[in-house]
Amino acid sequence: MTVSDLTTANVSGARDLMVFRGEKYWSTPEDVIREVHQQGLSVRIPRNTVPEGMVRGLSRIALAHIKAVMAIEHGTEDELRAAFANLHDPDVDAVLARTYEHAPSRWLEMPDTEATRAIFEQFGVKFSPGIFAFCYWTGCAYYLKPGEDEAPRDLAKKGVQAVRGINPETGEILLPVATEHEEED
Amino acid sequence: MPEDRLVQRRGCGFPIPGGVYLESIGSAGGTLPAIVVLDPPIPVDHFHRGFVMIDLDATLAVHNVQYVGSSLQSAEDYKLRAGMDKIARDIFGDGARIKHGQVTKFHDAAFHILDQAGWQPGGAAAAMQARSILREQASILAPMVELKDAA
Protein backbone atom coordinates (compact mmCIF):
# COMPACT_ATOMS: atom_id res chain seq x y z
CA MET A 1 0.00 0.00 0.00
CA THR A 2 1.20 3.50 -0.66
CA VAL A 3 -0.47 6.50 0.87
CA SER A 4 -0.97 8.00 -2.57
CA ASP A 5 -3.21 4.99 -3.43
CA LEU A 6 -5.72 6.07 -0.84
CA THR A 7 -8.70 8.39 -1.04
CA THR A 8 -9.82 10.47 1.91
CA ALA A 9 -13.37 9.66 3.04
CA ASN A 10 -14.70 6.56 4.76
CA VAL A 11 -18.07 4.88 4.15
CA SER A 12 -19.67 7.17 6.73
CA GLY A 13 -18.52 10.26 4.86
CA ALA A 14 -16.06 11.09 7.61
CA ARG A 15 -12.34 11.39 7.02
CA ASP A 16 -9.76 9.09 8.57
CA LEU A 17 -6.12 9.76 9.17
CA MET A 18 -2.95 7.92 10.03
CA VAL A 19 -0.21 8.84 12.48
CA PHE A 20 3.05 7.15 13.34
CA ARG A 21 3.93 6.64 17.00
CA GLY A 22 7.68 7.15 17.26
CA GLU A 23 9.93 4.28 18.31
CA LYS A 24 11.90 6.72 20.47
CA TYR A 25 9.00 6.98 22.91
CA TRP A 26 7.07 3.75 22.27
CA SER A 27 9.58 1.05 21.52
CA THR A 28 6.86 -1.38 20.43
CA PRO A 29 3.29 -1.07 19.15
CA GLU A 30 2.17 -2.89 22.32
CA ASP A 31 3.56 0.05 24.33
CA VAL A 32 1.16 2.31 22.43
CA ILE A 33 -1.75 -0.08 23.01
CA ARG A 34 -1.06 -0.23 26.76
CA GLU A 35 -0.95 3.56 26.97
CA VAL A 36 -4.19 4.02 25.03
CA HIS A 37 -5.99 1.54 27.31
CA GLN A 38 -4.86 3.54 30.30
CA GLN A 39 -5.13 7.14 29.09
CA GLY A 40 -6.71 7.27 25.65
CA LEU A 41 -4.88 8.65 22.63
CA SER A 42 -3.41 12.14 22.30
CA VAL A 43 -1.38 13.19 19.27
CA ARG A 44 0.22 16.61 19.01
CA ILE A 45 -0.21 18.34 15.67
CA PRO A 46 0.94 21.71 14.34
CA ARG A 47 -1.74 24.24 15.30
CA ASN A 48 -2.18 25.38 11.69
CA THR A 49 -3.06 21.88 10.47
CA VAL A 50 -6.25 21.04 12.38
CA PRO A 51 -7.84 18.49 10.02
CA GLU A 52 -11.20 19.23 8.39
CA GLY A 53 -13.96 16.75 7.62
CA MET A 54 -13.49 14.83 10.85
CA VAL A 55 -16.64 13.52 12.58
CA ARG A 56 -16.59 12.59 16.25
CA GLY A 57 -17.12 8.87 16.77
CA LEU A 58 -16.90 8.11 13.04
CA SER A 59 -13.51 9.37 11.93
CA ARG A 60 -10.68 7.08 12.89
CA ILE A 61 -7.03 7.62 13.72
CA ALA A 62 -5.01 4.74 12.31
CA LEU A 63 -1.91 4.08 14.40
CA ALA A 64 1.30 3.11 12.67
CA HIS A 65 4.72 2.11 13.98
CA ILE A 66 8.02 1.60 12.27
CA LYS A 67 8.11 -2.01 13.58
CA ALA A 68 4.46 -3.06 13.25
CA VAL A 69 4.88 -5.80 10.63
CA MET A 70 7.04 -8.86 11.22
CA ALA A 71 8.44 -11.21 8.61
CA ILE A 72 10.17 -14.54 9.26
CA GLU A 73 12.39 -15.54 6.34
CA HIS A 74 13.32 -19.02 7.58
CA GLY A 75 10.72 -21.04 9.50
CA THR A 76 7.41 -20.36 11.21
CA GLU A 77 6.34 -18.42 14.29
CA ASP A 78 5.69 -21.73 16.11
CA GLU A 79 9.26 -22.80 15.40
CA LEU A 80 10.51 -19.40 16.55
CA ARG A 81 8.58 -19.77 19.80
CA ALA A 82 10.00 -23.28 20.32
CA ALA A 83 13.53 -21.99 19.79
CA PHE A 84 13.04 -19.35 22.49
CA ALA A 85 11.37 -21.84 24.85
CA ASN A 86 14.42 -24.14 24.47
CA LEU A 87 16.63 -21.43 25.97
CA HIS A 88 15.02 -22.15 29.38
CA ASP A 89 15.69 -18.52 30.32
CA PRO A 90 13.18 -17.27 32.94
CA ASP A 91 13.17 -13.76 31.44
CA VAL A 92 12.41 -15.17 27.98
CA ASP A 93 9.77 -17.50 29.43
CA ALA A 94 8.09 -14.52 31.10
CA VAL A 95 7.74 -12.76 27.74
CA LEU A 96 6.48 -15.95 26.09
CA ALA A 97 3.79 -16.22 28.77
CA ARG A 98 2.56 -12.63 28.47
CA THR A 99 -0.63 -11.56 26.70
CA TYR A 100 -0.09 -9.45 23.58
CA GLU A 101 -2.72 -7.79 21.45
CA HIS A 102 -0.15 -6.93 18.79
CA ALA A 103 1.46 -10.35 18.33
CA PRO A 104 4.79 -9.20 16.79
CA SER A 105 5.49 -7.04 19.86
CA ARG A 106 6.24 -10.21 21.83
CA TRP A 107 9.38 -10.69 19.76
CA LEU A 108 10.32 -7.01 20.00
CA GLU A 109 10.12 -7.22 23.79
CA MET A 110 12.37 -10.27 24.10
CA PRO A 111 15.42 -9.65 26.32
CA ASP A 112 18.36 -8.57 24.21
CA THR A 113 21.02 -11.25 24.78
CA GLU A 114 23.54 -13.06 22.60
CA ALA A 115 21.29 -16.13 22.56
CA THR A 116 18.15 -14.27 21.54
CA ARG A 117 20.02 -12.31 18.85
CA ALA A 118 21.31 -15.59 17.43
CA ILE A 119 17.78 -16.96 17.17
CA PHE A 120 16.49 -13.85 15.40
CA GLU A 121 19.38 -14.10 12.97
CA GLN A 122 18.81 -17.81 12.38
CA PHE A 123 15.13 -17.26 11.53
CA GLY A 124 15.77 -14.06 9.58
CA VAL A 125 13.26 -12.04 11.62
CA LYS A 126 12.67 -8.56 10.22
CA PHE A 127 10.31 -5.71 11.12
CA SER A 128 8.84 -3.04 8.87
CA PRO A 129 6.38 -0.10 9.08
CA GLY A 130 2.66 -0.73 9.29
CA ILE A 131 -0.74 0.16 10.73
CA PHE A 132 -1.45 -1.96 13.80
CA ALA A 133 -4.62 -0.40 15.27
CA PHE A 134 -7.08 2.44 15.10
CA CYS A 135 -8.94 4.65 17.57
CA TYR A 136 -12.10 6.70 17.03
CA TRP A 137 -11.45 10.42 16.95
CA THR A 138 -13.30 12.26 19.73
CA GLY A 139 -12.05 15.80 19.16
CA CYS A 140 -9.12 18.19 19.25
CA ALA A 141 -7.80 19.85 22.41
CA TYR A 142 -5.79 23.01 22.95
CA TYR A 143 -3.81 23.07 26.21
CA LEU A 144 -4.08 26.52 27.74
CA LYS A 145 -1.01 28.49 28.63
CA PRO A 146 -0.86 30.25 32.02
CA GLY A 147 -3.12 33.31 31.92
CA GLU A 148 -5.31 31.97 29.11
CA ASP A 149 -8.97 31.11 29.74
CA GLU A 150 -9.98 30.10 26.25
CA ALA A 151 -8.52 28.73 23.06
CA PRO A 152 -7.28 31.21 20.44
CA ARG A 153 -10.14 32.32 18.20
CA ASP A 154 -8.86 30.58 15.06
CA LEU A 155 -8.79 27.26 16.91
CA ALA A 156 -12.11 27.77 18.70
CA LYS A 157 -13.76 28.39 15.32
CA LYS A 158 -12.56 24.96 14.24
CA GLY A 159 -14.16 23.31 17.28
CA VAL A 160 -10.94 22.84 19.23
CA GLN A 161 -11.70 22.39 22.94
CA ALA A 162 -9.73 24.41 25.51
CA VAL A 163 -8.19 22.24 28.23
CA ARG A 164 -6.26 23.22 31.34
CA GLY A 165 -3.80 20.40 32.01
CA ILE A 166 -3.10 19.54 35.63
CA ASN A 167 -0.29 17.30 36.85
CA PRO A 168 -2.03 14.78 39.17
CA GLU A 169 1.15 14.19 41.16
CA THR A 170 1.65 17.85 42.10
CA GLY A 171 -1.81 19.35 41.49
CA GLU A 172 -0.12 22.09 39.53
CA ILE A 173 -1.14 23.47 36.15
CA LEU A 174 1.18 22.34 33.38
CA LEU A 175 3.69 24.98 32.40
CA PRO A 176 5.20 25.48 28.96
CA VAL A 177 8.67 24.33 29.97
CA ALA A 178 11.02 22.09 28.03
CA THR A 179 9.58 18.58 27.81
CA GLU A 180 10.23 15.41 25.89
CA HIS A 181 7.13 15.84 23.78
CA GLU A 182 7.89 16.55 20.14
CA GLU A 183 5.48 17.70 17.51
CA GLU A 184 5.78 14.68 15.25
CA ASP A 185 5.08 12.29 18.12
CA MET B 1 -15.43 27.15 29.44
CA PRO B 2 -12.13 25.32 29.53
CA GLU B 3 -12.03 21.81 30.90
CA ASP B 4 -9.66 21.12 33.82
CA ARG B 5 -8.09 17.76 33.15
CA LEU B 6 -5.69 15.61 35.16
CA VAL B 7 -3.11 14.45 32.65
CA GLN B 8 -0.74 11.54 33.18
CA ARG B 9 2.74 11.34 31.76
CA ARG B 10 2.77 9.55 28.41
CA GLY B 11 5.56 7.86 26.48
CA CYS B 12 6.41 11.28 25.05
CA GLY B 13 5.95 13.21 28.31
CA PHE B 14 3.22 15.65 29.38
CA PRO B 15 1.12 17.74 26.97
CA ILE B 16 2.61 21.13 26.21
CA PRO B 17 0.55 24.26 27.00
CA GLY B 18 -0.05 26.02 23.70
CA GLY B 19 -0.12 22.70 21.85
CA VAL B 20 -3.00 21.25 19.80
CA TYR B 21 -3.80 17.55 20.09
CA LEU B 22 -5.90 15.06 18.19
CA GLU B 23 -7.66 12.94 20.77
CA SER B 24 -9.44 9.67 21.25
CA ILE B 25 -10.64 9.80 24.83
CA GLY B 26 -13.24 7.30 25.95
CA SER B 27 -15.59 7.78 28.87
CA ALA B 28 -17.04 5.45 31.48
CA GLY B 29 -20.00 3.61 30.00
CA GLY B 30 -19.16 4.93 26.54
CA THR B 31 -19.81 2.94 23.40
CA LEU B 32 -16.56 3.47 21.51
CA PRO B 33 -13.74 0.99 22.00
CA ALA B 34 -10.56 2.53 23.37
CA ILE B 35 -8.56 0.94 20.58
CA VAL B 36 -9.13 -1.63 17.85
CA VAL B 37 -6.07 -3.75 17.11
CA LEU B 38 -5.64 -5.12 13.59
CA ASP B 39 -4.47 -8.63 12.80
CA PRO B 40 -2.45 -8.83 10.69
CA PRO B 41 -0.96 -5.32 10.72
CA ILE B 42 -1.14 -3.50 7.39
CA PRO B 43 2.20 -2.69 5.74
CA VAL B 44 2.90 0.96 4.99
CA ASP B 45 5.58 1.94 2.51
CA HIS B 46 7.52 4.25 4.79
CA PHE B 47 7.50 6.39 7.91
CA HIS B 48 5.47 9.63 7.78
CA ARG B 49 5.92 12.67 9.98
CA GLY B 50 2.73 14.32 11.16
CA PHE B 51 -0.63 12.91 10.09
CA VAL B 52 -1.74 11.68 6.67
CA MET B 53 -5.36 11.51 5.50
CA ILE B 54 -6.25 7.95 4.43
CA ASP B 55 -9.26 5.84 3.46
CA LEU B 56 -9.16 3.26 6.20
CA ASP B 57 -12.20 1.34 4.90
CA ALA B 58 -10.50 0.78 1.56
CA THR B 59 -7.32 -0.29 3.31
CA LEU B 60 -9.16 -2.78 5.52
CA ALA B 61 -11.08 -4.13 2.53
CA VAL B 62 -7.91 -4.76 0.52
CA HIS B 63 -6.28 -6.64 3.38
CA ASN B 64 -7.85 -9.58 5.15
CA VAL B 65 -7.85 -7.80 8.49
CA GLN B 66 -9.46 -9.18 11.61
CA TYR B 67 -10.04 -7.35 14.84
CA VAL B 68 -8.34 -8.56 17.97
CA GLY B 69 -10.14 -6.24 20.35
CA SER B 70 -8.74 -5.24 23.71
CA SER B 71 -7.64 -6.93 26.90
CA LEU B 72 -7.50 -5.91 30.54
CA GLN B 73 -4.19 -7.75 30.86
CA SER B 74 -2.54 -5.18 28.64
CA ALA B 75 -3.88 -2.31 30.74
CA GLU B 76 -2.73 -4.00 33.95
CA ASP B 77 0.75 -4.51 32.50
CA TYR B 78 0.81 -0.82 31.64
CA LYS B 79 -0.24 0.19 35.15
CA LEU B 80 2.50 -1.91 36.75
CA ARG B 81 5.12 -0.56 34.33
CA ALA B 82 4.02 3.04 34.91
CA GLY B 83 4.45 2.62 38.67
CA MET B 84 7.77 0.81 38.46
CA ASP B 85 9.17 3.22 35.83
CA LYS B 86 8.46 6.09 38.20
CA ILE B 87 10.48 4.35 40.92
CA ALA B 88 13.28 3.68 38.41
CA ARG B 89 13.36 7.38 37.51
CA ASP B 90 13.51 8.29 41.22
CA ILE B 91 16.56 6.07 41.64
CA PHE B 92 18.41 6.40 38.36
CA GLY B 93 17.24 9.74 36.93
CA ASP B 94 14.73 11.00 34.35
CA GLY B 95 16.05 8.94 31.44
CA ALA B 96 15.62 5.61 33.25
CA ARG B 97 13.22 2.97 31.98
CA ILE B 98 12.84 -0.65 33.02
CA LYS B 99 13.90 -3.09 30.29
CA HIS B 100 11.27 -5.15 28.52
CA GLY B 101 10.42 -8.34 30.36
CA GLN B 102 11.97 -7.00 33.58
CA VAL B 103 9.08 -5.07 35.15
CA THR B 104 7.87 -7.87 37.41
CA LYS B 105 11.45 -8.77 38.33
CA PHE B 106 12.20 -5.12 39.18
CA HIS B 107 9.03 -4.94 41.30
CA ASP B 108 9.93 -8.12 43.19
CA ALA B 109 13.56 -7.07 43.71
CA ALA B 110 12.59 -3.62 44.99
CA PHE B 111 9.99 -5.13 47.32
CA HIS B 112 12.60 -7.62 48.63
CA ILE B 113 15.15 -4.83 49.29
CA LEU B 114 12.60 -2.78 51.21
CA ASP B 115 11.38 -5.82 53.14
CA GLN B 116 14.94 -6.76 54.13
CA ALA B 117 15.50 -3.21 55.34
CA GLY B 118 12.41 -3.42 57.53
CA TRP B 119 10.70 -0.61 55.66
CA GLN B 120 7.02 0.04 56.37
CA PRO B 121 4.75 2.00 53.98
CA GLY B 122 2.81 5.11 55.00
CA GLY B 123 3.15 8.81 54.36
CA ALA B 124 5.60 11.06 52.61
CA ALA B 125 8.43 10.35 55.06
CA ALA B 126 8.18 6.62 54.38
CA ALA B 127 8.28 7.28 50.63
CA MET B 128 11.47 9.32 51.01
CA GLN B 129 12.95 6.59 53.19
CA ALA B 130 12.09 3.97 50.54
CA ARG B 131 13.78 6.05 47.87
CA SER B 132 16.89 6.34 50.03
CA ILE B 133 17.00 2.59 50.71
CA LEU B 134 16.57 1.73 47.04
CA ARG B 135 19.24 4.22 45.98
CA GLU B 136 21.70 2.56 48.37
CA GLN B 137 20.93 -0.78 46.73
CA ALA B 138 20.78 0.59 43.18
CA SER B 139 23.40 -1.89 41.93
CA ILE B 140 20.90 -4.74 42.43
CA LEU B 141 18.26 -3.00 40.34
CA ALA B 142 20.59 -1.52 37.70
CA PRO B 143 20.74 -4.63 35.42
CA MET B 144 16.96 -4.34 34.94
CA VAL B 145 17.06 -0.68 33.92
CA GLU B 146 18.10 1.05 30.74
CA LEU B 147 19.00 4.71 30.51
CA LYS B 148 17.63 6.70 27.61
CA ASP B 149 18.27 10.24 26.55
CA ALA B 150 15.52 12.26 28.25
CA ALA B 151 15.80 15.11 25.75
Side-chain angles (χ1 to χ4, degrees), chain A residues 28-31 33-34 67-72 77-78 80-81 84 95-110 120 125-127 131-133, chain B residues 37-42 66-69 71 74:
Chain A
T28 71
E30 193 76 15
D31 270 351
I33 294 166
R34 291 169 184 143
K67 290 182 177 173
V69 178
M70 185 175 87
I72 304 175
E77 188 162 0
D78 285 344
L80 181 67
R81 175 182 278 273
F84 277 104
V95 177
L96 289 174
R98 291 176 74 179
T99 301
Y100 282 86
E101 293 180 48
H102 175 257
S105 286
R106 181 187 310 283
W107 311 111
L108 290 168
E109 296 188 357
M110 274 293 166
F120 283 130
V125 176
K126 291 191 167 50
F127 294 91
I131 299 170
F132 63 92
Chain B
V37 180
L38 308 180
D39 186 19
I42 300 169
Q66 298 169 11
Y67 303 106
V68 171
S71 81
S74 189

Side-chain angles (χ1 to χ4, degrees), chain A:
Chain A
M1 179 191 87
T2 64
V3 171
S4 57
D5 292 336
L6 302 172
T7 57
T8 57
N10 69 28
V11 292
S12 306
R15 300 179 84 191
D16 300 319
L17 53 82
M18 175 183 74
V19 293
F20 268 81
R21 303 276 73 195
E23 186 185 14
K24 181 178 176 185
Y25 301 115
W26 299 271
S27 56
T28 71
E30 193 76 15
D31 270 351
V32 180
I33 294 166
R34 291 169 184 143
E35 184 176 289
V36 171
H37 278 305
Q38 192 75 11
Q39 305 184 43
L41 178 71
S42 179
V43 180
R44 190 178 183 207
I45 59 172
R47 59 176 287 172
N48 61 349
T49 63
V50 175
E52 296 179 354
M54 302 287 281
V55 181
R56 286 183 174 81
L58 292 178
S59 289
R60 293 162 295 184
I61 303 172
L63 300 175
H65 191 277
I66 201 81
K67 290 182 177 173
V69 178
M70 185 175 87
I72 304 175
E73 292 178 349
H74 317 294
T76 65
E77 188 162 0
D78 285 344
E79 291 167 341
L80 181 67
R81 175 182 278 273
F84 277 104
N86 283 337
L87 293 177
H88 301 296
D89 176 333
D91 292 338
V92 169
D93 292 343
V95 177
L96 289 174
R98 291 176 74 179
T99 301
Y100 282 86
E101 293 180 48
H102 175 257
S105 286
R106 181 187 310 283
W107 311 111
L108 290 168
E109 296 188 357
M110 274 293 166
D112 182 23
T113 67
E114 203 171 302
T116 58
R117 282 196 297 274
I119 291 174
F120 283 130
E121 195 166 323
Q122 175 194 340
F123 281 82
V125 176
K126 291 191 167 50
F127 294 91
S128 56
I131 299 170
F132 63 92
F134 66 77
C135 298
Y136 286 92
W137 178 76
T138 56
C140 288
Y142 170 80
Y143 279 81
L144 296 169
K145 298 176 187 174
E148 286 183 325
D149 288 321
E150 55 188 24
R153 187 170 297 183
D154 62 316
L155 296 176
K157 278 169 64 177
K158 294 176 181 174
V160 176
Q161 168 72 26
V163 173
R164 187 176 286 110
I166 297 170
N167 183 330
E169 292 177 13
T170 63
E172 294 171 350
I173 295 170
L174 296 181
L175 297 173
V177 293
T179 76
E180 297 137 63
H181 205 148
E182 292 183 355
E183 203 151 88
E184 65 270 24
D185 291 303

Side-chain angles (χ1 to χ4, degrees), chain B residues 95-119:
Chain B
R97 185 179 192 281
I98 299 170
K99 293 176 183 172
H100 283 305
Q102 301 287 304
V103 175
T104 303
K105 196 172 173 181
F106 182 95
H107 169 271
D108 292 349
F111 183 85
H112 182 70
I113 290 168
L114 294 173
D115 189 48
Q116 290 291 304
W119 177 79

